[in-house]
Amino acid sequence: MIPLSRGPVPASADAVIIGGGINGLTTAYELAKRGLKNVVVIEKNYIGSGSTGRCGGGIRQQWTTEENIRLAQESVAVYENMTTELGYQVFFRQGGYLMITESESDLPALRKAVTLQNQCDVPTEFLQPEECLKIVPDLDVSRLKGATLPHTDGTA
Ligand SMILES: Cc1cc2nc3c(=O)[nH]c(=O)nc-3n(C[C@H](O)[C@H](O)[C@H](O)COP(=O)(O)OP(=O)(O)OC[C@H]3O[C@@H](n4cnc5c(N)ncnc54)[C@H](O)[C@@H]3O)c2cc1C
């Protein structure tokens, strides 16, 4: 466990991070893990007061560039281990993340993204509209053209 303290801004620090959202806090945490003893996070409001406290908590690897897919894969690996690493429950649930489209013209791009994700070992499947009902039984699929789902995506 990395020790935390709050209080007046110290006169010096090994690293100073402005903003206590997911990016600032993760940077501080990773620096501390790598041995920096004196990492300061300066937050003007309260921790998580920006986008981080408002987000849906969806963690998905369904991106359209290899760089973004691999970054998201790394995130999934971090989340898979986070409850053990932090010693408290972060409720990472890998229930999949269904992306749907009602537009026929989106389908080629969606299929191309699935191919790229599969090449990066993300197990994304392309689903026909009726197949989505197995996942979301009340979904109105009458206008759906297709959907994508990797079961390793989820929420935390
Ligand atoms: C409605 C909504 C839903 C979302 N859903 C998802 C989702 O499901 N999955 C997902 O991955 N992403 C989602 N996002 C995006 C995600 O929330 C953001 O990408 C992420 O939280 C950005 O984190 P951050 O640390 O960069 O910024 P923030 O969380 O905004 O943190 C920035 C912090 O800096 C502080 N700050 C700013 N200026 C100063 C200053 N001068 N001095 C001190 N402190 C300062 C702010 O008060 C704030 O706390 C969603 C976003 C929104 C708004």
Side-chain angles (χ1 to χ4, degrees):
M1 191 66 93
I2 293 170
L4 286 176
S5 65
R6 295 173 193 207
V9 178
S12 68
D14 294 331
V16 178
I17 294 159
I18 315 287
I22 187 79
N23 281 312
L25 295 178
T26 303
T27 304
Y29 179 68
E30 292 295 331
L31 288 174
K33 257 174 51 177
R34 283 162 178 74
L36 264 71
K37 296 274 180 261
N38 191 4
V39 179
V40 173
V41 176
I42 297 177
E43 168 54 52
K44 70 174 177 181
N45 201 349
Y46 59 89
I47 295 293
S49 59
S51 293
T52 300
R54 293 169 170 77
C55 88
I59 292 151
R60 69 176 161 102
Q61 302 154 99
Q62 294 177 85
W63 297 99
T64 54
T65 65
E66 182 173 348
E67 291 82 359
N68 274 341
I69 295 166
R70 296 214 182 273
L71 274 171
Q73 265 178 312
E74 287 288 318
S75 291
V76 166
V78 167
Y79 276 103
E80 282 173 340
N81 192 40
M82 201 179 279
T83 291
T84 307
E85 183 170 323
L86 295 179
Y88 58 81
Q89 181 56 263
V90 300
F91 295 104
F92 180 42
R93 180 178 165 273
Q94 286 172 292
Y97 191 120
L98 189 67
M99 295 191 71
I100 58 176
T101 183
E102 295 182 348
S103 165
E104 196 84 41
S105 61
D106 284 347
L107 293 180
L110 222 53
R111 287 189 185 279
K112 193 174 163 196
V114 170
T115 302
L116 182 60
Q117 290 157 21
N118 291 166
Q119 282 165 357
C120 295
D121 296 325
V122 175
T124 313
E125 296 172 75
F126 186 88
L127 302 181
Q128 298 299 334
E130 320 75 61
E131 294 178 287
C132 297
L133 291 172
K134 287 188 210 142
I135 297 146
V136 187
D138 289 337
L139 190 65
D140 176 4
V141 295
S142 58
R143 294 196 311 251
L144 283 200
K145 301 297 178 210
T148 60
L149 174 88
H151 64 264
T152 50
D153 277 359
T155 54

